[in-house]
Amino acid sequence: MALDKPYKGIPGTTIFDAEQARLGYHLNQFCMSLMKAQNRERFKANERAYLDEWPMSEAQKEAVLARDLNRCIELGGNIYFLAKIGATDGRSFQFMAASMTGMTQEEYARMMLQGGRAPGSPVRDPREKR
Amino acid sequence: MATITASVYTSHVPAIGAALDLGKSGEDYWKPLFAGYEPSQAWFKAHQPDVIFLVYNDHASAFSLDMIPTFAIGCAAEFKPADEGWGPRPVPVVKGHPELAAHIAQSVIQDDFDLTIVNRMDVDHGLTVPLSLLCGQVAQWPCAVIPFAVNVVQYPVPSGRRCFNLGRAIRKAVELYDEPLNVQIWGTGGMSHQLQGPRAGLINREWDNRFLDRLIAEPDRLAEVPHLEYVQEAGSEGIELVMWLIARGAMSDRPPRVAHRFYHVPASNTAVGHLILENSQ
């Protein structure tokens, strides 16, 4: 019998459950490795070679190289782990958040200053054509 | 016996810590937020406890996916601020209270809550930002702190009901401790925020304020709210609010005195909520 997962239908939202965590285990542990300065240096020197040390799927590696955080999340990444890639790049969290919404960082920051995204307002995946 | 005298609830946004550490708290963006905590700092000076039992969550700092404890109690003598990728926050080392922590673990586990006992753990912004907000920028934290980390990162996270009942078990444990310690319990995280996906940036001011109202007036009914409502209404990371129910469950069954209430949007990506509740004497 299937387990109850009522959170699957929330727009623009992926819940990091045991299934996603299993899918993304190596992706997230790769992110965790970036907590160490020497690993950050090695990753920056040759991203592809560093990723190839991890038993991640090709799709996961490509999503990391493209900094496509929405794709990383689909493939099992969790935002607290993925944030370490942004920190390695010297990006602010608002930059990362904006990148997932299809807004520029300035547009996103303005939305937050105006009270944030209103509940029930439309959600647009930046990968879909306008 | 030891007594829980008050509870403090606050968001623990990392950008607040960065603003303090980088000397930006006087900037226009941050002024209204820190103004909301000025009464809290005055209150804390006047009501300094011996121990803070601080409920928070780790954000992939101390716990990777190697191990994911649902409830972890810090029983060590000290806890270092974690390096979250840009060096540890320049804040004091957190001194624990190993005797009370071990006593609470002993009591609460026998009440059927399976805590993970942690004797070595760095503490991230989830724990240090609330301390900075209430204690200010200090050379030493003014009291002992027992870190209590809750998994709210990988689903399923504990339910509101379980958190509330755990709080009650913690209250019982504290009251069974022989030494007459003044203990505060803090619940941190929230309020509405979503950090991931195309819906990132969600804020729900109305839902947040209703949560604050109900936390004060009818916490037992608030504890029945299912996970799905938190995620839908308060965003995927708004689920952190279940941790506030642990602190609320540890309070007396009698109505509390509201010493302070504050709400502000935004701090970076997040709505900030804050309450101080005192137990009536």
Side-chain angles (χ1 to χ4, degrees):
Chain A
M1 246 183 41
L3 292 166
D4 188 22
K5 294 182 178 175
Y7 45 78
K8 291 282 190 186
I10 303 173
T13 306
T14 305
I15 296 303
F16 185 65
D17 62 6
E19 185 186 349
Q20 288 298 108
R22 184 186 54 74
L23 196 63
Y25 177 71
H26 294 294
L27 167 58
N28 290 313
Q29 295 295 72
F30 144 72
C31 293
M32 202 70 195
S33 77
L34 299 177
M35 297 278 278
K36 291 204 172 82
Q38 69 191 65
N39 289 340
R40 290 195 289 272
E41 290 313 312
R42 285 181 49 231
F43 174 65
K44 282 194 272 197
N46 187 338
E47 295 194 2
R48 179 74 215 195
Y50 189 84
L51 287 168
D52 283 339
E53 294 171 16
W54 294 84
M56 292 159 57
S57 70
E58 184 57 28
Q60 287 172 330
K61 292 177 190 176
E62 283 171 10
V64 171
L65 291 169
R67 302 296 190 269
D68 184 342
L69 296 182
N70 283 327
R71 181 79 177 132
C72 287
I73 289 169
E74 273 174 14
L75 298 172
N78 170 272
I79 192 59
Y80 291 126
F81 291 83
L82 296 172
K84 300 177 196 310
I85 302 174
T88 300
D89 290 339
R91 296 294 195 180
S92 73
F93 198 90
Q94 276 208 337
F95 176 90
M96 291 182 256
S99 81
M100 292 181 275
T101 65
M103 284 179 237
T104 65
Q105 187 177 354
E106 291 71 29
E107 287 167 343
Y108 180 88
R110 199 177 316 123
M111 173 181 81
M112 294 314 300
L113 273 172
Q114 290 168 353
R117 179 188 300 279
S121 63
V123 169
R124 192 178 70 84
D125 190 319
R127 293 167 299 171
E128 288 164 14
K129 292 201 175 96
R130 279 179 198 258
Chain B
M1 73 178 202
T3 314
I4 293 177
T5 52
S7 51
V8 174
Y9 309 82
T10 180
S11 306
H12 58 215
V13 186
I16 295 175
L20 284 170
D21 300 341
L22 301 172
K24 292 181 175 176
S25 57
E27 291 183 1
D28 286 347
Y29 182 93
W30 290 110
K31 264 190 208 160
L33 178 117
F34 289 109
Y37 284 85
E38 277 169 18
S40 321
Q41 292 200 5
W43 176 88
F44 186 75
K45 277 204 175 76
H47 297 83
Q48 221 165 82
D50 300 304
V51 187
I52 298 168
F53 189 93
L54 205 156
V55 182
Y56 75 109
N57 66 290
D58 179 79
H59 306 75
S61 306
F63 300 117
S64 67
L65 293 186
D66 285 342
M67 280 176 271
I68 305 154
T70 296
F71 298 117
I73 185 164
C75 293
E78 61 176 47
F79 306 89
K80 292 193 178 70
D83 183 344
E84 301 180 49
W86 41 85
R89 287 194 63 211
V91 293
V93 168
V94 172
K95 303 288 182 188
H97 197 300
E99 299 81 11
L100 179 61
H103 166 90
I104 291 173
Q106 172 90 9
S107 174
V108 166
I109 292 170
Q110 291 192 91
D111 269 339
D112 297 337
F113 292 91
D114 305 312
L115 309 187
T116 297
I117 290 163
V118 181
N119 290 310
R120 195 178 61 190
M121 175 168 71
D122 289 350
V123 288
D124 74 7
H125 68 267
L127 182 127
T128 61
V129 166
L131 287 175
S132 294
L133 279 169
L134 272 287
C135 308
Q137 287 168 296
V138 290
Q140 298 289 329
W141 299 120
C143 59
V145 178
I146 298 175
F148 191 84
V150 179
N151 166 44
V152 290
V153 173
Q154 180 174 325
Y155 278 65
V157 309
S159 68
R161 165 59 50 195
R162 183 156 175 78
C163 287
F164 189 67
N165 287 335
L166 169 60
R168 288 178 161 161
I170 292 167
R171 183 208 312 174
K172 178 179 147 193
V174 169
E175 289 173 355
L176 288 170
Y177 192 69
D178 285 335
E179 205 185 327
L181 296 176
N182 175 343
V183 180
Q184 287 177 9
I185 184 162
W186 293 13
T188 72
M191 294 196 85
S192 57
H193 64 307
Q194 174 149 342
L195 303 178
Q196 53 114 344
R199 200 171 75 135
L202 182 94
I203 298 288
N204 194 338
R205 182 179 282 270
E206 197 182 327
W207 191 91
D208 284 342
N209 277 286
R210 186 158 160 70
F211 184 93
L212 295 172
D213 292 341
R214 298 185 72 195
L215 190 76
I216 297 165
E218 47 172 32
D220 51 336
R221 290 183 59 202
L222 181 63
E224 300 299 335
V225 169
H227 286 154
L228 187 63
E229 182 176 325
Y230 286 91
V231 178
Q232 270 175 336
E233 300 295 330
S236 49
E237 280 63 48
I239 191 72
E240 289 179 348
L241 286 167
V242 295
M243 294 186 289
W244 292 31
L245 287 160
I246 297 177
R248 189 65 181 89
M251 293 286 284
S252 153
D253 293 331
R254 283 173 297 172
R257 193 184 87 81
V258 181
H260 185 48
R261 175 172 175 162
F262 175 64
Y263 185 77
H264 175 76
V265 178
S268 186
N269 302 278
T270 306
V272 171
H274 175 42
L275 273 180
I276 299 176
L277 303 182
E278 293 173 5
N279 269 334
S280 39
Q281 298 301 312

